[in-house]
Amino acid sequence: MKKNFYQSIPKDLKWREDDIIIQSQFTKENDKVCHLLGFNNYIVYMKDLQQEPKKYIKLDFDIKFEILRENVVKKSDDDDSLGQIKGISIIKDLGNETIIQKKYFGGERLIKQWREFLSNRINQWQFHQMFRVYKKIGKGNFASVYLAQKIEDSKKMAIKAFSKQAAYAEENGKEAILNELKIMRQLNHSHIMQMYEVYETQNSLYVALELLEGGSLYDLIKEKTLLSTTQIQQIMVGVLQGLNHMHQKNIMHRDLKLENILFKQQRKMDSVVIADFGLATKVDEPVYLYYRCGTPGYVAPEVINIKDVKGHYSEVCDIFSLGLVFYLLLSGKQAFPGKSYGTVVKQNREATIDFKIKQLQQAPSQAMDLMRKMLEKDPNKRISASDCLKHPFLAEINNQMADDSANDSIDEGDEFGQVATRMNQLNEETIKFDAFRRNAIVNSPGSPGIIDTKQLKQQKIIDSLNQLQMNSPLLNGKIETFDSIPNIGTPKNKKCQNTFQQSPMIKPSQFKQTLPQQQQNQGNPLQKYSQQKN
């Protein structure tokens, strides 16, 4: 029985009323001309622009695409050069290793435009011929992260590879992966980890991610790095700018914590990015895929206390989670300092926070004011991300780090003299607070801004239990050995641990030699890993 590639256009598809994103003329394999009209989530096929179209295809997870290239004669076994782009193939996956496809040919510029359009919506078929894979930099139960370089433009990336069979075997496994990829395709901000493309083979998914070489906030705290107030402000502003971008798109993260706050560059706090969108969701989804989720010690009270499976909350749950991170950065103490999972969950549910601990007594008054507003128990009274960025404690740093004029940090009616006075007062308080913290290091291992290592290890154990939500394949079986690479789609299912297809052939790394010596000496995570594993 012949399988149809396109479907008949249904009467309720008002394609003339939708915005056309891309429209092009192609040549088919039989040399006949056709036209493709690309919309947000479907493509309309037309033989002639003067006639009414009859066929379309919906851009869902079963539709892939592949770039077609001219064949090239390989000069050696190591020659991985690519032929010139000549067309694009749209592929329909029917399951059971059965696919059907349609090939369309056109100029290179045209095909690249369609690649950009499609890669923001569907996965690209095949992977191995497109990348040079140099070494494994992270490993989970049956998922791995590789340092790789895209052959076409030599761009370095982190490739997260995992087994479709293993992930889909999890409860809600496929739905969770679809959700995360869909969320990440909607995000485009300098303070959010970028997902470039998603590749797919018969057995595996390969997620091409921004290579983050600066480690995580957890790494910094673990190393007992004392952050200055200015550095804390930079971290807070960067994360809030990323959250503001998400919240404007009606997306909430729901799992902000130290491990999910990463840096593009070492020791550069303004290079901070938000990572790991395994629990992110649209606020207005009819039913959340996971309704009570997150990590105890970082969860907003309205999330941890929700009882109705069909219940809802808003994006300000992320502000509470970031407020808990803020509390830790300023004081060096967890807001919920229980020594067991049950105690932390109980404290988290009650959301009673002690703002009068000695480590916060000399904190800038404006920092304390912002923290209280972020940790407001009532979500209806809690401050928003955009208002956090306008708060006097962060306004000046926000202006310095702003991507565009959307984040105005000072009200237009505010007189310059009042602003200057306020900033001078804040700077004086900051200088005193930093001096207080530096002096405290000599006398106390639990000094402000330096979280106790035992306490951090205890929180790590509590994190690993993560019993608020155990069903997500994107949350379980985290990648270990390399904290700097974000963890997308790491399923955990003991029955499937041996199903991961053989890793891509790993080539000798050229990056190991090209890193500056100074960067190597400063513990570059890639170099550090190479020294440990080679």
Side-chain angles (χ1 to χ4, degrees), residues 234-374:
Q234 289 175 330
I235 293 170
M236 292 295 294
V237 166
V239 175
L240 282 164
Q241 286 184 3
L243 284 180
N244 193 36
H245 174 77
M246 291 175 56
H247 293 174
Q248 287 176 349
K249 293 178 177 289
N250 214 24
I251 295 170
M252 50 187 175
H253 187 280
R254 300 197 299 176
D255 197 26
L256 274 179
K257 56 184 178 181
L258 300 179
E259 294 91 331
N260 294 339
I261 297 174
L262 308 181
F263 300 93
K264 296 180 183 181
Q265 301 174 50
Q266 287 189 324
R267 308 295 175 182
K268 282 187 65 67
M269 301 304 112
D270 59 358
S271 72
V272 65
V273 297
I274 302 170
D276 198 339
F277 292 85
L279 292 179
T281 186
K282 284 276 192 176
V283 174
D284 56 0
E285 286 288 343
V287 178
Y288 297 146
L289 184 58
Y290 306 108
Y291 71 103
R292 188 190 299 120
C293 59
T295 302
Y298 295 97
V299 189
E302 65 269 25
V303 178
I304 199 171
N305 291 318
I306 193 170
K307 293 181 173 60
D308 186 357
V309 176
K310 297 182 179 180
H312 285 75
Y313 35 81
S314 77
E315 68 278 0
V316 293
C317 65
D318 292 335
I319 300 301
F320 193 93
S321 298
L322 183 58
L324 294 171
V325 172
F326 189 21
Y327 185 101
L328 188 151
L329 291 178
L330 281 180
S331 69
K333 299 291 182 181
Q334 297 278 0
F336 307 126
K339 295 183 178 180
S340 69
Y341 174 84
T343 304
V344 171
V345 169
K346 182 177 182 295
Q347 293 173 343
N348 204 157
R349 286 186 184 279
E350 296 170 352
T352 302
I353 297 172
D354 186 359
F355 293 101
K356 296 183 179 180
I357 60 174
K358 63 180 181 179
Q359 289 85 353
L360 291 175
Q361 288 179 2
Q362 295 192 38
S365 57
Q366 291 176 347
M368 294 301 297
D369 178 71
L370 175 60
M371 189 191 301
R372 289 178 183 273
K373 290 177 177 176
M374 295 179 73

Side-chain angles (χ1 to χ4, degrees), residues 370-418:
L370 175 60
M371 189 191 301
R372 289 178 183 273
K373 290 177 177 176
M374 295 179 73
L375 293 175
E376 167 59 53
K377 188 173 182 178
D378 184 350
N380 295 316
K381 298 178 181 178
R382 197 175 302 149
I383 191 171
S384 67
S386 59
D387 285 340
C388 284
L389 292 169
K390 297 175 184 177
H391 190 278
F393 182 67
L394 300 179
E396 186 176 16
I397 300 294
N398 179 53
N399 270 350
Q400 295 172 9
M401 293 174 57
D403 288 338
D404 49 51
S405 59
N407 292 324
D408 293 330
S409 61
I410 300 173
D411 294 336
E412 293 181 2
D414 202 351
E415 295 294 331
F416 175 76
Q418 295 175 342

Side-chain angles (χ1 to χ4, degrees), residues 167-178:
Y168 297 172
E170 289 286 307
E171 182 179 355
N172 295 324
K174 188 172 184 179
E175 291 82 357
I177 290 171
L178 285 172

